[in-house]
Amino acid sequence: MFLGIQMGFPYLNLGQIIMISVGLGFIYLAIKKEWEPYELLPIGAGMILANLPLTGLTTEPGPGVGTGMAGILGIILKYGLYYWTILPQFIFFGIGALTDFGPLIANPRAFLLGAAAQLGIYTSFLGALFLGFTIPEACSIGIVGGADGPTTIYTTGLLAPDIMGITATAAYSYMAMVAIIQPPIIKLLTSKAERQIYMKPQLRRVSKTEKILFPLMTMLVVLLLIPKSAPLVGMLMLGNLFRESNVVERLSQTAQNELINIITILLMLGIGASMPADQVMNVRTLMVLTLGLFAFAIGTAGGVLLGKLMSKFSKEPFNPMLGAAGVSAVPMSARIVQHLGQRENRKNFLLMHAMGPNVAGVIGSAVAGGYFLGLFAK
Amino acid sequence: MINWNETLRIVFGGLAAVFFIMTLLAVMTHLVGKVLTRIEQKNNGGK
């Protein structure tokens, strides 16, 4: 007690101090290094707030919690992530409104690269089972390999909410570290000659009608085959339809800006807040982080290996590095491919080619998540 | 104890589902593009 006020200091334990330090580290990386600042800054802040003792910020509403006693982070966690899980779905809606699927429509082969890059999900799933995780937990850990934050959050929220904070943080952290993780794998699996393969920078022109039909077609096909992916793929394509229809410009702009910004604040604060020290400071967390990294690396390798195969059989020159963009870290993976391509061959502009598999990866990881949910979600 | 039958069913089922759906989408996108391009060319030719 100090001046009659109950202080938090005496209740601060080592675990909380470590988590607060990690939160500060995230804020440092976001501000100083500009690593995924829109994600890492609010996650770091959420971590700090959730680990300060006696604040009551993470108290969830429910039986035994009086009126006005629930904390804002607890409300976000309970209704936004655990109970209704609406936040990742709205993020997907915003991403749909922001995404131009033109490069994918112009080169539909990229769908296959987006599929191959999901290989990491299933190998990491196996790894998690070996290490003693339950099947739903293994599914959630595997999904990190899709390098898709909202899909990871949504799937984990429904299958293994206890590890949601860690899987989400792993997904966003590895997305931020694409430039460190992917290049060595790409170089290991491709020869210099393969990396130098020149591709014409222009893709074919995609008509407005194609762009409008694409979200409708994708929505129908995916949702009829894997209905449980509807909250992700359905919202993604709905957002994209808003964008491409050109008749609901205000709604599209709201989805692309205000809505996705508001939801990002809530979602990332919630993710940070889902990591109180007593839940996170254990060996399992290290295992999840390692498996997530492994999944991401295998996903990259899967894409590159299929890229090599496609390069062998393609009539037109095809650079196998494009496969690495099949993980859905948009647009970072595509930029890495562009950067490496330019370094090997100054004439090469692979960015638009790489955007195809990159956006296909978003669909692929949502399908993989929907598959797991179809099997195990209650 | 890992149930290998169940595990392999999940892994191969998942991979098959992802590849099947993505291949289907690739084929459909390709066909829609082809049809629409042809219609567009026809319309332009008519003018």
Side-chain angles (χ1 to χ4, degrees), chain A residues 105 108 111-112 114-116 118-119 122 125-126 129-130 135 204-205 207 209-210 213-214 217-218 221-222 225-226 360 363-364 367-368 371-372 375-376, chain B residues 1-4 6-34 36-37 40 44:
Chain A
I105 301 170
F111 268 111
L112 299 179
Q118 310 311 319
L119 187 69
Y122 299 99
F125 167 81
L126 283 175
L129 285 181
F130 267 120
I135 288 183
R204 80 166 173 85
R205 195 186 66 83
S207 71
T209 317
E210 277 179 272
L213 286 177
F214 180 79
M217 184 187 76
T218 307
V221 170
V222 178
L225 291 169
I226 302 198
I363 300 173
V367 169
Y371 172 78
F372 282 146
L375 290 177
F376 302 112
Chain B
M1 195 60 186
I2 301 172
N3 178 344
W4 279 107
E6 165 87 346
T7 305
L8 292 178
R9 191 180 60 80
I10 295 167
V11 170
F12 288 110
L15 277 172
V18 171
F19 269 98
F20 175 71
I21 290 175
M22 299 294 265
T23 308
L24 192 63
L25 287 173
V27 172
M28 288 178 74
T29 307
H30 175 71
L31 291 176
V32 168
K34 225 170 186 182
L36 289 177
T37 310
E40 210 172 89
N44 287 344

Side-chain angles (χ1 to χ4, degrees), chain B residues 33-47:
Chain B
K34 225 170 186 182
V35 169
L36 289 177
T37 310
R38 221 169 261 182
I39 292 172
E40 210 172 89
Q41 277 171 350
K42 232 181 204 179
N43 287 346
N44 287 344
K47 282 174 193 173

Side-chain angles (χ1 to χ4, degrees), chain A residues 62-84:
Chain A
V65 178
T67 312
M69 297 301 286
I72 184 167
L73 298 178
I75 295 168
I76 294 171
L77 276 172
K78 178 160 184 178
Y79 293 114
L81 290 168
Y82 297 143
Y83 189 60
W84 286 335

